[in-house]
Amino acid sequence: MKGTRISGRLIRMEYALLMVLLLVFLLFSLLCGQAFYQVYNLMNILKAAGSIAILVLGLTWVIGANEMDASFPEVASCASMVFALLLNGKTDPMLAAGASLLVGVGFGCLTSLLVVRFRFHSLITTIATSTIAGAIANILYNGSVLSIKGLNSAALYKFFGRTVLGFPIVFVIAIGLYAAAFLVQEKTRFGHYVYALAENRQAVTEAGVKSGRVLTAAFVLSSFFAAFGGIVYVLTVYKSGQPSMGSSFFLNGFTIVFLGAMALRLGKANVVGTFIGALVLSALTSGLTMLGSGFAVGQVIKGLLLIMGVAVVTAYRRKIVPKGSKMKYE
Amino acid sequence: MKRYLSDRLPVVLFALLFLAVVVTFQCLQPTFLSSANIVNMMQSVSTTVIAAIGLTFVIAIGRSDISFYMSCCFCGVLMAWLVSLGWHPVPAILCGVAAGAAWGSVSGFAVGKLKLPDIITTIAIGSIAFGLGYLFSDGAFIMQNFIEAKTHYLSQYLVLGIPLPVYVMAAVMVLSYYLLERSRFGRAFYAVGATEKAAYLSGVNVNRTIVLAYVICGTLASVAALIMTARQGYGNVKIGMNLLMPCFTAVYIGMSVFKRPCVVGTALGALLVTAIATGFTSINIPFYVSNLVTGFVLILAILLSKVVVREKQPRMAAKEAGRT
Amino acid sequence: SAEDDFYAVSLGWAENASGQRQKTGFTESFEKFGVTNFSIVDANYDPVRQTEQICAFIAKGPKALFITPSDPTGIAEAVKEAVDAGIPVYLSDGFVSGADAVSTVLFDNYACGKTTMTYLCDRLQEKYGAAEPIKIGMIMLPSNESWHQRDLGAEDVLSQEKYQNIEVAYTWSWDSTGAVTPSSTISTWLAADTAKELRGVWCAWDGAAFEGLVLTGETRPEIMYTGCDGGEECWNYMINYPDSFVMSAGENIYSMPRSLVQYAMSYNEGKTVPRLVLVEGYAVTSKMIGEVNSIRDYKVGDKTAWELLLDYDLPGNVDLLNQALTENGLTDNLWIPSI
Amino acid sequence: MSYILEMRGIRKSFGGLAALDGADLCVAAGEAHALLGINGAGKSTMIKILSGVYGRDAGEIRLRGEPVQIASPKDALACGISAVYQDPQMVESYTGYENIYLGNEGGRERMLAGVNRRRLRTMARELVARYPFDIDVEKPVYLMSSVEREIIAILRALSKECRVLVLDEPTSILTEKERHTLFAFIHTLKQSGVSIIYITHHLDEVAQVCDSFSVFRNGRSVCREAISGGAVDCGHIAELMLGERLSQLYPPRAGQPGRRVCLCAEGLTLDGRFENIAFEARCGEVLGIFGLVGSGIDELSKVLVGAIGESSGTLSKGGQPLKLASPAAAIRSGLYLVPGNRKTEGFLHNLSIAFNVTVVRLDKVVRRLGIVDRRLETSAAAALTEKLSIVTPTVQKKVNELSGGNQQKVVIAKGLFAEADAYIFCDPTVGVDVGAKSGIYEMIRTLAAKAAVVIISSEPEEVLGNADRVMVIYQGRVTLRKDATDTTLKEMLVHAIAREEVRAG
Ligand SMILES: Nc1ncnc2c1ncn2[C@@H]1O[C@H](COP(=O)(O)OP(=O)(O)OP(=O)(O)O)[C@@H](O)[C@H]1O
Ligand SMILES: Nc1ncnc2c1ncn2[C@@H]1O[C@H](COP(=O)(O)OP(=O)(O)OP(=O)(O)O)[C@@H](O)[C@H]1O
Ligand SMILES: [Mg+2]
Ligand SMILES: [Mg+2]
């Protein structure tokens, strides 16, 4: 939250995304009427937002640290396939989930080994690990969807079908995770260093911080939550292992995280923003569907939203930086 | 001499890796190195190379472009639609390329002039371009007039036994090599990518260079999309959706081997990935197995280039040496 | 009243001929029944998005919900939720197991693969004999459960004794990453086929055949293709490459939305409707198409032969086509609903 | 004599090139020790080894007689060794106190340990109160001036339990007043028993603060001498550094004033920075403009080549009016700025010397079709590296791999390559050793024979020593305008911190 407590106007800017969210809800409530704002639909929106939010929680910090992780979608599909395969092999669901999460952690370790230890560029590294994860996801069941038998009776499945005070459990879990993540981001060394790293890696290293560890943690968390998200989707949506589910998340995941960068820490990916971003996107999908628009309209609107947000944030950032000796081209 | 060697070592190691891949496939499938298959590989790699060279310009100025693979979809649809209206393919192609340049200049304007952050802005612009292309075509395949207009000549026509896209690729490579690495104009791209303020004070027109890089990227991506549309024999809005990863892969392999974004490196990177994919196809192994190998070869390729870099970047290497 | 009732359609994809025909089919049928308040959205093959869209429709409480599954297992939960919410669900071109849809209309993909492969083998044996080995390639589509049935059907044919000399020299499955396309695959096969022994290519969908024809239609016209899907462009390719593109199995797409909308109307009136229907499919050879093309402008009733052909999947049109052929003395290749 | 810190026989090479070749460095407790040497002698490398940024190839480090292992910055800190690098790295959007305690937030050292910002703020306030600095530690760093940043960097070093403090050229961006504050402060530190290693190219400072000095040459230590009575023989030190006696730092001035007015500015104004500045620069002489950091001189240099801002006023060259459009336009019309901050404005990172030098005037090295002739390029760059005695194996070496002073020389080389007929030099010798300095000054004087030269600098000696005519700027206004022979350092300094304005003309 630092660097942004400068003027009253900025404080308002931090909440602009929240305004967008309210606006989206208001607009669709007006256009679609009761169908949109009825509890049932709101809960569905929360459920969808919660699932994707869990999936990109870790990604948020990788992007926050100014690195890239293009592997999260494929890690999610790989985890979903491992999970499905183990369940069909009569493994205990909790055990299967644990194993799939470990697969995620494994990919995170591989990525961070290459990025931190061997100083690979993170984008190309994660392209490579994502290729590998996607390949494994396909090899596990010859590239086909693997439906899970007898899932309905599993306790884990039932658990994900439950609600708490009327809220879908996925959303409640997401809220819990994000609250914890917010504390980690704002109150601990990890969060403190992530954003310092993003700005000046050398400064952090020279200050004696083991920046490698921070990055490792970020990459491992990104893959871990991708795997977690993959399992959540298996349990709440797919009911099957999906070797190519990754393509559903790639663009949406990045859009959410970058949209979120407009909240709280102007221009930097952060968990509060990501959560709001996920809500905005889910509300958008729901509302546009009610208005009879397919995915392409949503695509254009998301793009416009994103670019407007970026433009506003950039303009504001420029205002707060003292004019001084800015060169003409800048 | 030593310095010469240490600069060339990654290239040599990369060549060895490439050789290993080629020899392996040649042993598995004796026709792998037949002239027909080489031509075939050249043809398949041509579109990746063309688009990736465009991306090379953007990477050279120190930016990223996540829009080209989506905006070129728009161009493919536009060309297909014009062909379906009964246009001659040549003006239709020109319109498609112009649209690519236009989308590139939108990204360039946003990043270069408005100074918006590159990745997020280009994601947004790409989404809009793709969404519009999709809305325009309604996602349908556009097939009318394709056979009659002989658009497949663009991808099939043989000159001296070699299909046209290979010539287009060669022309793009030569021109880009000249422009980026030999001519005085190319210096501006590297200068902007290095230190922007210093480049500006050294007389480089920074903003124009940024815009130009994005325009080149958008244009070349549209050329690739048009060739792919012609090869496919129908207009499909998703034509470019799979260009993103191969292009970035190609550019970064080239960068790790040659230590800077460059045309030859990009082309070699693309060729390595295509050789693996083609090799596996020719021995009937599904794509996901070949992807597993591609992923590991990719890591290996960069690892090899680091063998030497570690010595050249003492700051971290020394620290790590101290720790172990 | 019927005018205020809301009807929803969630398409798994709007892409290619099949998606487009579904869309048109629904639109026209709604018009026919005077429905004005309806929504058609598509999910671009994304089960997650389709799930969200179905949920949004559930919230609007449509009089009927029509779904083309992007992935039959992937959207099962959402379909179940719709059924549980008391919304009559109608499934088109895909079967969702475990969900209690009012009615499902399907195409027999298995038979489709079987028919085209049988025809290909017969044509090849006719040309090259049943003794010499004949090399073919197969382009398959395992990533979607329904479409994978075509591959299985085709493979089933090859296990028959009488096709022992047909040898599958090359196989390739659709690459979801798009790094390798049908076109580049067939190029690679051709490069490996130095002795020019490749005789035929069985394709699980027409698009793959088109890409192959662009490559070999002129340079290696002896290579025979079969495909699946049909539609105007398919007929065009058949007319242009009659000896290369020998058969496609025309799926009766229009009739899916048409019959489903009709069922929905009946169901809402309290009538009983069929739970599961397999729509008719047509195996179409290039010879048939060639003949229809030769009487392109001939009119039967108020439609030309070509117009009838374009709407091959409207019930009754095949009979009219056959009538046109007979009237012109072209009786060799009468259309028979064969699948 | 017992030393608190001993570094003996340190060796370090970078890819075959020996930066340190058995160097020694010893410091006694409570003394300030100057580390001197020409550019590329190995000073920075030595302290980076000491502070754990680089590993060493050979040699040992002893602290109070005990050998210690320093493999990372963390180890160095644990040994009580803190360093302030010349170009302190900061996290721009973080506040001063967050930067001071970066990596040292207290509590346990786990990732999930809390960061108590309120406590850090109080601690920072207490820290500031202990020293004679006046600074708002709650401001984010990107809003701070370079002086404030330097102070934050020093506070960061002091915030740790520190027995040896390394200052690598700390004064190059400080103003005179702040410099004295710093010196007084160093004395306080010495009294509390902290040893200081002080790297500088300003020999006069050595006498003011240091008790002893070591000189490095070619990666070896050539001597360690004590300073007695607060005076040093600059000639002697220069001789130790260079291996030969330096005849004089500043070249002789032009015999007679230049006649032809080459560059003429009138009424230059940039909102909030400077106002109504006018000057004439003649061919054959050097005009010196002196102002403290923040007085607007940096902006002035950039306005002159059209790099910043909407400014008003007129600029003409050789009688022709110049439009202040862009640096590119300035270069085309023969006006070149050698900018001040080499790391961000001077040279292009990760690109070779040859690339850097020729980029300003590619037209000079192109063949047909705009193709750059690499042979021509290499030979042109090689000629310039020779002329400026830039220490490098080839002109293909990347500029950022050169030592700081040699980087600065590359920046000058670019200017020479531009072959302009009017030059503006902005702080041309930051971080350059005395030998090279006199080389650069000589170069400037030679240039002045054919071109108009303006030196804009925050070092008064540099201005007075080189210029024929002197202008002083205070808060964006000209406060003094005199012939160099008629003024003194003192007068210039007084006008640099005073208000009296001098009318143009
Ligand atoms: N990272 C590096 N890679 C290659 N060479 C290096 C590196 N660091 C230092 N050198 C070389 O080592 C030698 C010593 O450099 P160092 O920076 O220690 O000099 P210095 O005494 O600090 O000079 P200056 O007064 O210019 O700061 C120089 O020749 C330099 O080119
Ligand atoms: N990215 C880099 N890669 C390789 N070497 C580097 C890099 N950055 C710095 N160096 C080397 O580290 C050494 C010290 O760098 P630094 O930036 O501290 O300059 P310096 O010598 O202290 O400059 P100055 O003389 O202005 O104090 C230099 O000699 C330089 O060669
Ligand atoms: Mg130094
Ligand atoms: Mg230094």
Side-chain angles (χ1 to χ4, degrees), chain A residues 190-242:
Chain A
F190 173 74
H192 193 60
Y193 296 153
V194 160
Y195 294 100
L197 270 180
E199 270 183 54
N200 193 336
R201 183 116 159 225
Q202 201 186 334
V204 181
T205 314
E206 278 180 7
V209 175
K210 298 206 164 113
S211 49
R213 280 198 201 167
V214 181
L215 280 183
T216 305
F219 279 111
V220 170
L221 284 176
S222 177
S223 294
F224 174 84
F225 280 108
F228 194 155
I231 296 172
V232 168
Y233 272 100
V234 169
L235 290 171
T236 58
V237 178
Y238 294 123
K239 283 184 77 182
S240 53
Q242 295 266 341

Side-chain angles (χ1 to χ4, degrees), chain B residues 110-122:
Chain B
V111 176
K113 289 274 192 335
L114 302 181
K115 299 290 161 195
L116 303 184
D118 51 346
I119 294 185
I120 166 170
T121 307
T122 50

Side-chain angles (χ1 to χ4, degrees), chain B residues 3 177-178 181-184 187 190-191 194-195 197-204 311-312 314-315 318-319 322-323, chain D residues 14 53 55 71 306-307 327-328 331 339 344-345 347-349 351 355 358 360 362 367 369-372 374 377 414:
Chain B
R3 184 178 174 87
Y177 176 75
Y178 159 76
E181 293 173 59
R182 298 308 302 272
S183 81
R184 53 181 301 187
R187 295 293 169 107
Y190 289 119
T195 315
K197 270 189 191 169
Y200 182 65
L201 287 175
S202 303
V204 172
E311 192 195 11
K312 285 183 75 184
R315 205 180 281 269
K319 269 183 55 195
R323 220 178 272 142
Chain D
F14 294 110
V53 175
I331 292 174
T344 60
E345 298 171 352
F347 66 87
L348 305 166
H349 279 256
L351 292 171
F355 188 115
T358 52
V360 293
L362 283 165
R367 279 184 288 152
L369 297 167
I371 291 178
V372 177
R374 295 216 174 129
E377 180 189 19
K414 293 172 71 169

Side-chain angles (χ1 to χ4, degrees), chain C residues 13-14 23 33 37 43-44 55 73 90 100 110 124 151 154 174 183 195 225 239 298 301-302 314 319 325:
Chain C
W13 66 95
K23 200 168 176 175
F33 287 98
N37 185 10
N44 192 30
C55 287
T73 39
Y90 301 85
D100 207 3
Y110 188 82
L124 289 173
D151 308 337
W174 183 68
S183 168
Y225 291 83
I239 292 166
Y298 184 80
D302 54 352
L314 292 189
D319 298 332
L325 291 176

Side-chain angles (χ1 to χ4, degrees), chain A residues 103-122:
Chain A
V103 169
V105 170
F107 279 111
C109 289
L110 178 61
T111 301
S112 45
L113 176 77
L114 295 172
V115 172
V116 175
R117 183 84 172 81
F118 293 103
R119 316 201 73 212
F120 279 27
H121 193 285
S122 58

